[in-house]
Amino acid sequence: MGLFLQMSMVLVMMASLQGWLPLGCLEEERIALFLLKDSLNYPNGMSLPSWRKDNADCCSWELIECSSSTGRVTALYLGSTRNEGVGDWYFNASFFLPFQQLNTLYLSDNRIAGLVENKDFFNLKNLKLLDLSLNTLNNNIFQTIRIITSLKTLYLRSCRLNGQMPTAQGLCDLNHLQELDMSDNDLSGVLPSCLANLTSLQQLYLSSNHLKIPMSLSLLYNLSKLKSFDGSGNEIYAEEDDHNLSPKFQLESLSLSGRGQGAGGFPKFLYYQVNLQYVGLTNIQIKGEFPNWLIENNTYLQELYFENCSLSGPFLLPKNSHVNLSFLSISMNYFQGQIPSEIGARLPGLKVLLMSDNGFNGSIPSSLGNMSSLQVLDLSNNVWTGRILSNNNLQGQIPGWIGNMSSLEFLDLSGNNFSGPLPPRFGTSSKLRYVYLSRNKLQGPIAMTFYDSFEIFALDLSHNNLTGRIPEWIDKLSNLRFLLLSYNNLEGEIPIRLCSLDQLTLIDLSHNHLSGNILSWMISTHPFPQQYNSYDYVSSSQQSFEFTTKSVSLPYRGSTIQYFTGIDFSCNNFTGEIPSEIGNLGTIKVLNLSHNSLTGPIPPTFSNLKAIESLDLSYNKLDGEIPPRLTELFSLEVFSVAHNNLSGKTPARVAQFATFDESCYKDNRFLCGEPLPKICGAAMPPSPTPTSTNNEDDGGFMDMEVFYVTFCVAYIMVLLVIGAVLYINPYWRRAWFHIIEVSINNCYYFLVDNIPILSKFGFS
C-alpha cells in the first residue's frame, strides 16, 4: 500500500512538471520566426532552409540559440542572411514582439533600408547586443533604440549615417552601453559632450568618419572604464588649452590617424597611461622627438606605430630592455643620425621593424642580428610615397650576418647607398620570402645562396651595378613570383631553365646587355598564397617595386601587386623572332620588347592577349604586316610599333586603336593608312631590307652593313675583271703598262721641278 502511494505521488509530480518543462521553443515564437523568414526571403530568397514547419523544435534550427531552462529564444545570428539579389529590406519590427528573453540580435549586412512599426522594438527589454552594421540607415534609428536601455553592445558600422553624431535622438541615453562601434560612416562635426555620461563605456570606435576629434581626448576624461578608443581616419586637432587634468581612464588600445593636420606636441594624457598595449598615431603632424618614455611607462606595450608624424631628431631607445614590444613602425618621419647600435639589446622581442623614409645614415648595427624573432625588416626609403623626404643614406656593405637571422621573412634595404657585393648566403634564413635590394650601388655577380630556395617569393636587385650573367641556379627559386634585375650591367643569354619558373607573374630584365633569343615564357595564373598570420599580411603590404608600364616608370605597392603581371625585356641586345607562344599569355598586362634587334613578323597570336594594357615593340627590325586582329585587344591603352620595317596597312581605327596617333607607327617606311599621312594605294612596293634601328634613330633608309659588304664585293670584282682582260689581250696589256710608265715619269719630274720652290716656304 505504501509503495502504491509513492508511485502515485511520482506520477502526479511528473504530470505537473510536464506543464512547464521546455519542449522546444514556444509556439508564438515559432510563428514569429516563420514570419521573419518570409520577410527575409521576400520576394524570392532561399535563406534559412532548416526553418521548416515539419520540425517543431525551432531551438534546433540554424542561427538560433534558446534558453536551456525556459526554451525561449535568446539569440538570433541573422547577419548576411538575406540573399544578395532580392533588393532592400524594410523589415517589420513587430516580428520581434514575442521574443521576451532575446538578448543577442545580429542583423548586419541584410540590406536593411528601414523599419516598419518601430515602436515594437521597445519591447526588447532584455536585449544586450544589437548589430545593424552594413545596412543603409539614418539617424532616426536612435529614436527606435533609445528606450532599449539594457543595451551593452551596439554595432552601427558602415550604415551610411551622416551629419553630426545623434544626441537629441537618444544615443547618450544608453547609459549601460559598454561597446559602441560607429566606424566607417559619414558622421561630421565635433564629439558631443554628452559622451561623458556613458560612464560604462569600455570600447569606442569612431574611425573613418569626418569627425573633429581633439588630440587630448579631453571629452572622454570622465570615462573611467574606457579601455579602447579608435578615432583613426578623422580630423585630429590640437586644443588651444591642453589642460593638465589627468584622465580617469587607463587605455589599453589607442588609434588616432588624421589627414595630415597639425596637432602640436604629444597629448599630455599619454604621460599618465601605463597599461597601453597598442598605440597607433599616423598622419598627424605631432612634431618633436621620439617618445621613448612611452615605451618605458608601458611595460605591456606590444605594437607601436608613429608613421608620418613629422618626428625628428635621433631615434631614442628606452633606457632598459623592453621584451614585449613586437611591432615598431617609425616610417615617413625626419629621424636623422645613425640607428642606435644597442637596438637589438633594448628591443629584443621585435618581430617587425619598419624604419623607411627617414634620414638615417651610417651602417646597419650588428645588434639587429641578435633579434632572433625578427621577421620583417624595412630600412628602405620607398620613394613611392611621393613626399619630399630625406632618403635613408645607409652605406657600406650589406653585413653577412643578415643571412643568419633565422626568423627573417621580409628584407627591404632598397634606396640606400650600400655598395660592394651581394650577401653571399642566407644560410639560416629558412623563412625568407621577400628580398628587396634595389637602388643601391651593389657590384659584382649575382652570387647568392638561400637556405630554402623554395620559399623565395620576390627578388628585386634592380638599379645597381651588378655584372656577369644571370645565374643558372635561379631556376631553383621554384616559388618565385617577382624577378626584377633591370638597370644593371648583366650580359649573356637568358638561362633556358629560367622558363621553368611557372609561378612567375612579373619579370623585368630591361636596361642590361643581354643577348640571344627571347625564350617562350609562362606567366602564372596560380592564385597568390594565403596569409597565415598578421605578419604575413605586413610582409605583403610592405613590398614595393618600380616597373615601367604605359611608357611611365611607376611604383607598385601592397596588395595591388598580386594583380599585376608583366614582361619587360626592353633595352637589351636580343635578336631573332618573337616566340609565338608569348601570345598565349592571356593574363599579361604589360609586354615591352622595345629597343632590341628582333626580326620577323609580329606573331598573330598577340590577338589573344586579352588583358594586355601596354604593348611596346618599337625600335626593332620587325617586318611584315601588323596583325589586323589586334583591334580585339579592348584593354590596350599604350601601343607602339614605331621604328621598325613594317609594311602594309595600319589596323582599323576602331575601339582602342582609334586613340593611337601617328607616333605609334612612325618610321615604318612601307606602312600606310590612318593615322599616318601616307595613303594606301592600289599597289604597294615590296618591303625593303630591314634597317638598323636598334636603340637609336637611323640616319637613312640604307642598311650600312649591307652597303659595306656589297661595295667590297663590287670592288674586288672590278679588279678581277681588269686583271682578266689584261691577261687575255696583249695589246691592252702593253697600253696599260705604257700609261702607268708615263704617269710615273710625270710625277717624278713634277716633284723634281717643284721641290726647290717649296723649300723657300719652309717645306722640306
Side-chain angles (χ1 to χ4, degrees):
M1 185 68 177
L3 180 61
F4 176 76
L5 289 174
Q6 290 179 1
M7 293 181 62
S8 300
M9 291 177 64
V10 170
L11 291 173
V12 171
M13 292 176 64
M14 291 179 61
S16 61
L17 288 171
Q18 190 175 5
W20 63 271
L21 284 174
L23 299 174
C25 61
L26 300 183
E27 180 65 22
E28 59 178 355
E29 292 185 341
R30 184 165 49 252
I31 293 173
L33 289 172
F34 282 126
L35 293 174
L36 182 59
K37 175 184 177 180
D38 292 340
S39 179
L40 268 169
N41 286 327
Y42 180 83
N44 54 1
M46 302 294 291
S47 300
L48 306 174
S50 69
W51 293 20
R52 304 190 313 272
K53 293 184 178 180
D54 59 353
N55 183 3
D57 183 11
C58 58
C59 291
S60 64
W61 297 351
E62 60 179 327
L63 309 179
I64 294 176
E65 283 186 6
C66 295
S67 170
S68 59
S69 59
T70 65
R72 281 188 171 275
V73 174
T74 57
L76 292 173
Y77 301 96
L78 300 178
S80 304
T81 302
R82 185 170 171 84
N83 294 136
E84 189 72 26
V86 295
D88 292 336
W89 183 31
Y90 295 86
F91 79 91
N92 193 330
S94 64
F95 296 153
F96 297 95
L97 182 61
F99 304 114
Q100 296 299 311
Q101 293 186 11
L102 188 67
N103 58 55
T104 301
L105 178 58
Y106 285 91
L107 292 172
S108 61
D109 193 21
N110 279 309
R111 301 198 62 173
I112 296 175
L115 280 69
V116 181
E117 298 186 31
N118 297 348
K119 62 181 183 297
D120 290 316
F121 237 36
F122 303 162
N123 293 292
L124 300 176
K125 304 293 185 182
N126 294 308
L127 192 64
K128 292 180 173 57
L129 186 152
L130 176 62
D131 186 359
L132 295 173
S133 301
L134 298 167
N135 289 296
T136 303
L137 306 175
N138 55 47
N139 291 359
N140 293 331
I141 187 64
F142 293 97
Q143 295 180 358
T144 304
I145 63 177
R146 61 182 298 185
I147 309 300
I148 314 177
T149 55
S150 58
L151 271 181
K152 293 184 178 180
T153 302
L154 178 59
Y155 298 134
L156 295 172
R157 185 179 62 256
S158 302
C159 288
R160 302 186 184 181
L161 300 172
N162 54 35
Q164 294 191 349
M165 286 188 66
T167 56
Q169 290 94 334
L171 173 63
C172 294
D173 294 335
L174 303 174
N175 52 17
H176 289 96
L177 208 59
Q178 297 178 4
E179 183 176 357
L180 175 61
D181 187 350
M182 298 178 66
S183 58
D184 197 18
N185 283 288
D186 198 22
L187 298 170
S188 58
V190 299
L191 297 181
S193 58
C194 68
L195 283 178
N197 299 330
L198 302 179
T199 54
S200 298
L201 202 60
Q202 299 179 19
Q203 299 176 2
L204 178 58
Y205 305 111
L206 302 174
S207 63
S208 302
N209 281 285
H210 302 284
L211 296 167
K212 296 181 179 180
I213 300 177
M215 186 73 173
S216 67
L217 301 185
S218 56
L219 288 172
L220 309 178
Y221 275 17
N222 195 44
L223 305 181
S224 60
K225 297 182 180 180
L226 190 64
K227 301 295 183 185
S228 299
F229 178 75
D230 186 354
S232 57
N234 288 284
E235 180 181 340
I236 311 299
Y237 68 94
E239 290 180 306
E240 294 183 3
D241 182 19
D242 188 0
H243 37 71
N244 295 317
L245 296 176
S246 60
K248 294 182 179 180
F249 56 70
Q250 278 294 330
L251 295 178
E252 296 177 357
S253 175
L254 172 65
S255 181
L256 288 173
S257 69
R259 299 184 174 94
Q261 304 92 346
F266 282 98
K268 294 179 180 178
F269 78 87
L270 280 178
Y271 290 91
Y272 300 97
Q273 304 303 302
V274 296
N275 293 331
L276 284 168
Q277 299 177 25
Y278 175 96
V279 176
L281 301 180
T282 59
N283 298 319
I284 306 173
Q285 305 309 305
I286 300 175
K287 299 183 179 180
E289 294 185 339
F290 181 78
N292 57 338
W293 47 264
L294 190 64
I295 302 178
E296 294 172 355
N297 294 345
N298 295 271
T299 56
Y300 297 103
L301 189 62
Q302 298 177 15
E303 298 188 29
L304 180 59
Y305 296 79
F306 285 120
E307 297 177 355
N308 192 21
C309 289
S310 297
L311 300 176
S312 59
F315 174 56
L316 304 174
L317 291 173
K319 297 178 181 178
N320 300 311
S321 177
H322 193 292
V323 297
N324 290 320
L325 190 65
S326 61
F327 196 120
L328 175 61
S329 176
I330 57 171
S331 299
M332 295 181 287
N333 284 288
Y334 298 98
F335 293 116
Q336 296 178 343
Q338 295 190 0
I339 300 174
S341 59
E342 62 273 23
I343 185 172
R346 302 287 178 85
L347 303 174
L350 280 180
K351 296 181 179 179
V352 176
L353 177 58
L354 311 178
M355 306 180 74
S356 62
D357 281 311
N358 284 287
F360 291 117
N361 54 36
S363 59
I364 302 177
S366 59
S367 65
L368 283 177
N370 299 327
M371 293 181 173
S372 59
S373 300
L374 193 63
Q375 298 179 20
V376 180
L377 176 61
D378 188 352
L379 303 179
S380 68
N381 66 341
N382 286 334
V383 294
W384 56 268
T385 57
R387 302 166 71 247
I388 302 176
L389 289 171
S390 298
N391 296 334
N392 282 344
N393 193 28
L394 299 174
Q395 53 196 340
Q397 292 191 10
I398 298 176
W401 52 256
I402 211 163
N404 297 326
M405 303 176 71
S406 58
S407 297
L408 193 64
E409 178 182 329
F410 180 98
L411 175 64
D412 191 346
L413 303 179
S414 59
N416 286 287
N417 276 322
F418 290 115
S419 58
L422 291 167
R425 58 185 290 109
F426 289 86
T428 60
S429 300
S430 59
K431 298 180 181 178
L432 190 63
R433 301 178 67 193
Y434 307 88
V435 180
Y436 291 92
L437 304 177
S438 66
R439 288 177 286 119
N440 282 286
K441 298 177 181 178
L442 300 172
Q443 303 166 342
I446 303 176
M448 307 168 69
T449 57
F450 298 96
Y451 177 87
D452 190 350
S453 301
F454 177 77
E455 291 292 333
I456 301 300
F457 192 86
L459 180 60
D460 185 357
L461 305 177
S462 60
H463 294 268
N464 281 288
N465 298 317
L466 300 174
T467 55
R469 305 171 69 91
I470 299 176
E472 295 287 343
W473 54 258
I474 206 163
D475 69 302
K476 296 179 181 179
L477 309 181
S478 56
N479 203 34
L480 194 65
R481 287 276 179 166
F482 308 121
L483 177 61
L484 296 101
L485 303 176
S486 60
Y487 289 93
N488 281 288
N489 296 308
L490 301 175
E491 56 187 11
E493 298 184 0
I494 301 176
I496 295 178
R497 287 185 293 182
L498 194 58
C499 296
S500 64
L501 299 179
D502 58 358
Q503 299 291 319
L504 271 178
T505 60
L506 183 86
I507 180 168
D508 187 355
L509 306 179
S510 64
H511 293 86
N512 281 287
H513 306 295
L514 299 171
S515 58
N517 294 331
I518 291 179
L519 307 176
S520 302
W521 285 90
M522 178 183 299
I523 292 296
S524 174
T525 57
H526 298 289
F528 271 61
Q530 295 181 349
Q531 289 131 15
Y532 299 102
N533 56 54
S534 59
Y535 300 116
D536 283 340
Y537 171 76
V538 171
S539 298
S540 178
S541 63
Q542 283 296 119
Q543 59 180 321
S544 63
F545 55 73
E546 284 187 11
F547 189 77
T548 300
T549 176
K550 304 176 184 177
S551 303
V552 180
S553 183
L554 296 173
Y556 294 86
R557 179 179 174 84
S559 59
T560 59
I561 290 177
Q562 63 181 294
Y563 305 108
F564 195 82
T565 54
I567 294 176
D568 191 349
F569 291 166
S570 63
C571 300
N572 280 286
N573 299 316
F574 290 117
T575 56
E577 296 189 357
I578 301 174
S580 60
E581 291 83 359
I582 292 182
N584 299 325
L585 306 178
T587 61
I588 196 172
K589 296 185 181 297
V590 176
L591 177 60
N592 190 349
L593 304 178
S594 65
H595 293 85
N596 283 287
S597 298
L598 300 173
T599 58
I602 299 174
T605 55
F606 274 21
S607 61
N608 298 326
L609 304 176
K610 301 302 182 182
I612 199 162
E613 299 176 3
S614 178
L615 176 59
D616 191 350
L617 305 175
S618 61
Y619 291 95
N620 280 288
K621 300 178 182 180
L622 301 175
D623 54 32
E625 297 186 353
I626 301 175
R629 292 189 61 189
L630 292 185
T631 56
E632 299 174 8
L633 305 179
F634 299 112
S635 298
L636 194 62
E637 297 182 25
V638 173
F639 174 73
S640 180
V641 292
H643 304 280
N644 280 288
N645 298 318
L646 298 170
S647 60
K649 190 176 182 180
T650 58
R653 300 282 288 172
V654 296
Q656 297 296 98
F657 276 77
T659 65
F660 302 143
D661 57 21
E662 180 183 350
S663 64
C664 302
Y665 303 96
K666 69 178 182 179
D667 288 340
N668 286 281
R669 185 177 292 267
F670 286 84
L671 203 59
C672 63
E674 295 184 357
L676 296 172
K678 186 173 184 178
I679 301 174
C680 296
M684 292 293 298
S687 298
T689 304
T691 63
S692 178
T693 56
N694 182 39
N695 299 329
E696 60 184 6
D697 290 327
D698 58 321
F701 172 69
M702 182 176 294
D703 190 320
M704 297 306 297
E705 293 180 1
V706 177
F707 171 78
Y708 292 142
V709 172
T710 55
F711 178 84
C712 293
V713 172
Y715 187 83
I716 294 172
M717 290 297 297
V718 169
L719 293 178
L720 290 175
V721 170
I722 293 174
V725 171
L726 295 178
Y727 178 81
I728 296 172
N729 193 320
Y731 174 78
W732 287 105
R733 185 167 61 248
R734 288 193 297 270
W736 172 260
F737 287 116
H738 176 72
I739 293 172
I740 292 176
E741 184 178 3
V742 171
S743 299
I744 292 174
N745 290 332
N746 289 338
C747 291
Y748 173 78
Y749 289 112
F750 176 83
L751 293 174
V752 170
D753 293 337
N754 290 281
I755 283 177
I757 300 174
L758 294 173
S759 62
K760 294 179 180 180
F761 295 93
F763 295 98
S764 58

